[in-house]
Amino acid sequence: MSDPTRRRMLGQVAAVSALPILAACGTTAVRPSDGRVFSLGVASGEPLPDGIVIWTRLARDPLNGGGMPNTPLKVRWEVSADENMTEVVRSGVATARPEFAHAIHVPVHGLQPHRWYWYRFHAQGETSTVGRTRTAAAGGLDRFRFAFASCQHYEMGFYTAYEHMAREDLDLVVHLGDYIYEYGGKFGRPRQHDAFETTTLDEYRNRYALYKMDPALQAAHAAFPWLVAWDDHEVQNNYANDRDQRGETSPKMFRQRRAAAYQAYYEHMPLRPAAQPRGADMQLYRRYEFGNLLTLNMLDTRQYRTDQPCGDKKRPLCDAALAPDATMLGLTQERWLHDGLSRDRAAWSVLGQQVPLMEREIHRHGEVLFDMDKWDGYVAARNRLLGHVADIGKRNLIVLSGDVHAAWVGDLRQDFKKAYLPVLGTEFICTSISSKGDGWDSKKGPRRIVDMNPHMRFYNGRRGYTRCEVSPRQWRADYRTVPYVTRPGAPVKTEATFVVARGRPGVEIA
Ligand code: FE
Ligand code: CA
């Protein structure tokens, strides 16, 4: 890319993000929606070399069901090769239907690979803000930059990390789940949910609307295409397949809640129309390629897993975790993943998933504990995955995870206790955007866990996101953190940088 192009592009990042970020200053609990039809912003995602999905939802009264008439409404869309929307290359009319909360997901085709596009929508005499997006590369690619993030509990803090992310120079954002939290509101927090835990479609919709009204989140969506996957809180904390957290409702009842939650998720994410749920089922696992540089396997570790074999808290390991029928991915997804890894010829094979894969042995009061909602509770399933990676001689695996509201970095081995075994890949776990509030410095707390687990290289308890720069020779990961989220305006810094050299598995501190 030529320098003037890059400069123009960077200028555009500022232009796209400046307005919403200014609006963020002084944000309190809930911003009035002021009746605009595009109150939830715009988004794009699922990048292909020739296309992209663009998204919006019409909602004049977003916190109360949307406030739109109970009829289909026309939305005109435009995709342009320039930021002023003067070189429109694709346009059309989509129908926003009340049964999908007047959300639209437009798969745009016929675009050029690896270049920026701008898009906007018109409806009801109003025009949306302009979003910027980027198609995937085809063939050779020598540099790819993206950020990944997870866990954005609205009540626990401001989305300052997204303000900073929106200003980065990225090709993509990857979100690994906990986009919303289902919990009812608690007083005394920086921001507020409404009173009740979400269980119905209306309640989930209103919750997404609350989150999506955040100007910093809107800015990050408007600046880059996203690839998203859910974790547990999009439905309920630590649920597993059709089992609720505490076994309080029957699987049949829980599937009704899951259907409502999955539909609201689909409605609010820039997903392909093919992802549309059927009842309580929705296929979210999928694979995206970025030239011959990286293949990103987006996994679903919630919908098909067996109930946590040893329970869902920190506990000593039980025999059931070793039983071969314990599964994290379900048989079909597991086979799809293994086949994909066997066939993949990209420089880097990447898993975008939710709960930590690496072993995390915790010593507490003389007991050895593991966090059983994670792959640590599904040892047989993890052994199958890492065993397959070892069998096919893969030496370029990178795993991206979220969920635990802290940053961890470590190497993956077939048996974590045997440091003489070859390293099979590296796992980067991102911290949360806001969940658990301000956090703490790495000197304290679970720092000890890193000492107990020789494959671990890093722990940090601050909020933020992980920025990756990928080239054919090297994977680089910068842990970007903010010192606080319980009030707005925190600066961002790079807390630590790690590199993996291709062909030489094992992470190094840069
Ligand atoms: Fe979370
Ligand atoms: Ca989670």
Side-chain angles (χ1 to χ4, degrees):
M1 186 187 301
S2 70
D3 262 344
T5 314
R6 176 165 299 283
R7 237 174 286 126
R8 201 169 68 124
M9 206 178 76
L10 288 171
Q12 186 56 26
V13 177
V16 165
S17 50
L19 265 178
I21 285 167
L22 282 176
C25 298
T27 299
T28 51
V30 176
R31 220 165 38 110
S33 67
D34 64 28
R36 292 172 307 129
V37 78
F38 293 108
S39 58
L40 303 179
V42 300
S44 71
E46 311 290 304
L48 296 172
D50 73 333
I52 197 86
V53 172
I54 56 174
W55 171 95
T56 193
R57 180 189 159 201
L58 310 182
R60 288 194 191 281
D61 189 5
L63 300 178
N64 298 292
M68 303 304 293
N70 192 26
T71 53
L73 299 169
K74 298 283 181 220
V75 182
R76 196 156 62 81
W77 57 270
E78 300 170 289
V79 174
S80 174
D82 74 314
E83 63 263 49
N84 300 317
M85 300 302 296
T86 55
E87 296 170 51
V88 173
V89 293
R90 286 286 178 277
S91 62
V93 176
T95 303
R97 298 183 186 284
E99 52 273 34
F100 288 102
H102 293 100
I104 58 165
H105 305 76
V106 183
V108 181
H109 290 287
L111 304 179
Q112 299 297 312
H114 198 48
R115 64 149 296 167
W116 292 105
Y117 288 95
W118 288 260
Y119 60 96
R120 69 180 172 190
F121 303 92
H122 308 274
Q124 309 255 303
E126 292 178 38
T127 298
S128 73
T129 56
V130 174
R132 193 187 63 160
T133 191
R134 190 163 174 75
T135 48
L141 180 63
D142 54 14
R143 178 179 181 267
F144 184 76
R145 296 191 87 186
F146 73 100
F148 68 100
S150 73
C151 296
Q152 50 198 46
H153 195 314
Y154 182 87
E155 292 193 314
M156 302 265 199
F158 293 89
Y159 294 165
T160 315
Y162 279 134
E163 293 181 25
H164 294 295
M165 189 193 285
R167 297 189 184 103
E168 300 269 11
D169 173 16
L170 306 173
D171 299 302
L172 179 75
V173 171
V174 174
H175 196 284
L176 298 176
D178 292 358
Y179 191 98
I180 59 156
Y181 281 71
E182 80 282 17
Y183 299 124
K186 286 209 173 80
F187 291 111
R189 290 178 163 172
R191 305 198 284 186
Q192 225 87 65
H193 283 164
D194 52 12
F196 300 108
E197 179 165 333
T198 53
T199 57
T200 67
L201 180 55
D202 284 349
E203 290 165 349
Y204 282 111
R205 281 173 172 165
N206 290 342
R207 186 58 56 85
Y208 278 98
L210 174 68
Y211 279 55
K212 291 196 78 87
M213 284 169 71
D214 183 281
L217 179 58
Q218 288 194 7
H221 273 294
F224 316 106
W226 285 40
L227 273 176
V228 301
W230 55 39
D231 190 22
D232 51 340
H233 287 287
E234 284 85 352
V235 182
Q236 185 211 34
N237 180 47
N238 286 2
Y239 85 96
N241 194 326
D242 55 8
R243 305 303 170 100
D244 78 354
Q245 185 182 14
R246 290 178 210 88
E248 286 160 346
T249 48
S250 69
K252 194 173 165 221
M253 290 286 287
F254 190 72
R255 279 180 68 83
Q256 286 178 23
R257 180 175 180 181
R258 199 176 93 170
Y262 283 9
Q263 176 162 343
Y265 183 78
Y266 169 75
E267 287 170 351
H268 292 86
M269 296 297 132
L271 291 166
R272 296 204 165 274
Q276 191 180 304
R278 287 183 191 84
D281 301 307
M282 176 167 156
Q283 193 186 318
L284 195 59
Y285 66 84
R286 60 209 190 280
R287 183 175 293 130
Y288 276 85
E289 291 170 2
F290 297 88
N292 53 15
L293 188 56
L294 73 155
T295 300
L296 180 49
N297 299 275
M298 294 292 283
L299 305 185
D300 176 351
T301 58
R302 284 292 159 191
Q303 190 174 184
Y304 314 105
R305 64 156 87 186
T306 41
D307 202 12
Q308 289 86 351
C310 310
D312 70 346
K313 301 241 160 65
K314 295 186 178 76
R315 297 166 193 265
L317 194 66
C318 70
D319 290 344
L322 301 164
D325 56 351
T327 177
M328 183 63 98
L329 301 175
L331 270 185
T332 312
Q333 181 180 197
E334 190 172 309
R335 213 174 295 131
W336 167 87
L337 177 61
H338 287 197
D339 288 351
L341 290 174
S342 300
R343 272 201 300 268
D344 189 15
R345 294 289 169 267
W348 300 95
S349 282
V350 187
L351 310 188
Q353 53 120 41
Q354 291 77 46
V355 295
L357 180 65
M358 74 173 84
E359 187 171 279
R360 295 182 311 143
E361 186 178 302
I362 302 156
H363 293 240
R364 193 180 287 169
H365 308 305
E367 267 192 316
V368 178
L369 310 178
F370 297 93
D371 200 346
M372 292 302 179
D373 178 62
K374 324 309 173 198
W375 287 85
D376 270 338
Y378 298 75
V379 177
R382 179 170 62 199
N383 287 347
R384 284 196 298 276
L385 173 55
L386 293 177
H388 178 71
V389 171
D391 286 349
I392 61 176
K394 204 161 221 357
R395 291 165 60 79
N396 61 349
L397 181 72
I398 299 285
V399 178
L400 313 176
S401 316
D403 171 57
V404 283
H405 310 168
W408 304 78
V409 175
D411 286 327
L412 302 168
R413 286 192 179 84
Q414 223 178 327
D415 183 334
F416 291 88
K417 293 284 179 291
K418 296 177 177 160
Y420 57 85
L421 287 176
V423 172
L424 297 172
T426 294
E427 181 174 16
F428 295 105
I429 302 173
C430 66
T431 185
S432 66
I433 290 288
S434 58
S435 301
K436 257 194 192 165
D438 290 338
W440 47 83
D441 285 320
S442 43
K443 285 110 209 155
K444 288 186 270 178
R447 172 71 231 174
R448 275 183 348 111
I449 298 177
V450 176
D451 302 333
M452 300 286 182
N453 293 266
H455 56 280
M456 287 184 186
R457 302 300 299 275
F458 180 63
Y459 164 83
N460 182 269
R462 286 296 182 202
R463 307 297 146 233
Y465 54 91
T466 307
R467 182 180 70 194
C468 296
E469 178 163 332
V470 188
S471 77
R473 289 164 170 269
Q474 179 183 276
W475 186 289
R476 175 191 165 107
D478 295 314
Y479 276 80
R480 305 276 282 164
T481 61
V482 292
Y484 51 87
V485 293
T486 51
R487 54 190 203 282
V492 70
K493 71 165 178 177
T494 297
E495 190 81 43
T497 295
F498 300 89
V499 295
V500 180
R502 179 150 160 252
R504 198 150 33 88
V507 69
E508 307 283 350
I509 297 169

